[in-house]
Amino acid sequence: MGVDAVTSLMSVLSDPTRLGALRLLWDGQEHCVCELMDRLAATQSRMSRHMAALKSAGLVVDRRDAQWVRYRRNPALSPRIVAIIDAVIAAMAAERKEAA
């Protein structure tokens, strides 16, 4: 993973809504965009924009189901990217614990 790839990944991870979506999707299950919107208190247009960024970065894959789109963690992610995102999600969880 080169410097450009790491920089690009960090840019995608820099937004709280995208991080929240990844945290929810990191369970490996498929989630409807309506669930992501509800859990992250995001409008449909805002959620779509963020999910497009995650999809463009190759972090998630999607599937259309009638009027909804379902997202899940990209199963083909490299172990290095998974390790980075695992570390970010763990840091977020630790910060929430400390704040409580």
Side-chain angles (χ1 to χ4, degrees), residues 26 78-88:
W26 220 240
S78 79
R80 289 182 205 149
I81 291 175
V82 170
I84 291 169
I85 296 172
D86 283 345
V88 169

Side-chain angles (χ1 to χ4, degrees), residues 6-85:
V6 171
T7 302
S8 179
L9 177 61
M10 291 301 133
S11 177
V12 170
L13 297 179
S14 69
D15 183 88
T17 301
R18 289 192 291 263
L19 276 175
L22 277 178
R23 183 179 54 78
L24 295 171
L25 295 170
W26 220 240
D27 66 1
Q29 302 299 310
E30 195 174 64
H31 296 272
C32 177
V33 72
C34 58
E35 176 189 349
L36 299 174
M37 289 166 49
D38 183 54
R39 304 245 339 246
L40 299 172
T43 63
Q44 189 276 328
S45 61
R46 181 171 158 225
M47 200 75 245
S48 292
R49 184 176 66 251
H50 288 300
M51 296 313 295
L54 292 172
K55 184 178 173 185
S56 177
L59 301 177
V60 300
V61 293
D62 65 352
R63 177 180 68 85
R64 181 160 288 286
D65 181 21
Q67 78 269 24
W68 295 107
V69 179
R70 299 187 179 278
Y71 290 93
R72 65 185 171 101
R73 171 181 163 169
N74 184 345
L77 285 174
S78 79
R80 289 182 205 149
I81 291 175
V82 170
I84 291 169
I85 296 172

